[in-house]
Coordinates of all heavy atoms in Angstrom, one line a residue:
Chain B
V267 N 34.5 75.1 15.9 CA 34.0 74.2 16.9 C 34.1 72.7 16.6 O 33.8 72.4 15.4 CB 32.5 74.6 17.4 CG1 32.0 73.4 18.2 CG2 32.5 75.8 18.0
A268 N 34.8 71.9 17.4 CA 34.8 70.6 17.1 C 34.2 69.7 18.3 O 34.3 70.1 19.4 CB 36.2 70.1 16.9
A269 N 33.5 68.7 18.0 CA 32.8 67.9 19.0 C 33.8 67.2 19.9 O 35.0 66.9 19.6 CB 31.8 66.9 18.3
S270 N 33.4 67.0 21.3 CA 34.2 66.3 22.2 C 34.6 64.9 21.6 O 33.7 64.2 21.1 CB 33.5 66.2 23.4 OG 33.9 65.0 24.1
P271 N 35.8 64.5 21.7 CA 36.3 63.3 21.1 C 35.7 62.1 21.7 O 35.7 61.0 21.2 CB 37.8 63.3 21.4 CG 38.3 64.6 21.8 CD 37.0 65.3 22.3
L272 N 34.9 62.2 22.9 CA 34.3 61.1 23.5 C 33.3 60.5 22.6 O 33.0 59.3 22.5 CB 33.8 61.5 24.8 CG 33.4 60.4 25.8 CD1 34.7 59.6 26.2 CD2 32.7 60.8 27.0
G273 N 32.8 61.4 21.7 CA 31.6 61.0 20.7 C 32.3 59.8 19.8 O 31.4 59.0 19.4
Q274 N 33.5 59.8 19.6 CA 34.0 58.8 18.7 C 34.0 57.4 19.3 O 34.0 56.4 18.6 CB 35.6 59.1 18.3 CG 35.8 60.4 17.7 CD 37.1 60.9 17.7 OE1 38.0 60.1 18.0 NE2 37.3 62.1 17.4
T275 N 33.9 57.3 20.6 CA 33.8 56.0 21.3 C 32.4 55.5 21.5 O 32.1 54.4 22.0 CB 34.5 56.0 22.7 OG1 33.8 56.8 23.6 CG2 35.9 56.7 22.5
V276 N 31.3 56.3 21.0 CA 30.0 55.8 21.3 C 29.5 54.7 20.4 O 28.7 53.9 20.6 CB 29.0 57.1 21.2 CG1 27.6 56.6 21.2 CG2 29.3 58.1 22.2
G277 N 30.3 54.6 19.2 CA 30.0 53.6 18.3 C 28.8 54.0 17.4 O 28.0 53.1 17.0
A278 N 28.7 55.2 17.1 CA 27.6 55.7 16.2 C 28.1 56.6 15.1 O 29.3 57.1 15.2 CB 26.6 56.5 17.0
P279 N 27.5 56.7 13.9 CA 28.0 57.6 12.9 C 28.2 59.0 13.4 O 27.4 59.5 14.1 CB 27.0 57.4 11.7 CG 25.7 56.9 12.4 CD 26.2 56.1 13.6

Side-chain angles (χ1 to χ4, degrees):
Chain B
V267 164
S270 151
L272 198 65
Q274 297 162 17
T275 71
V276 176

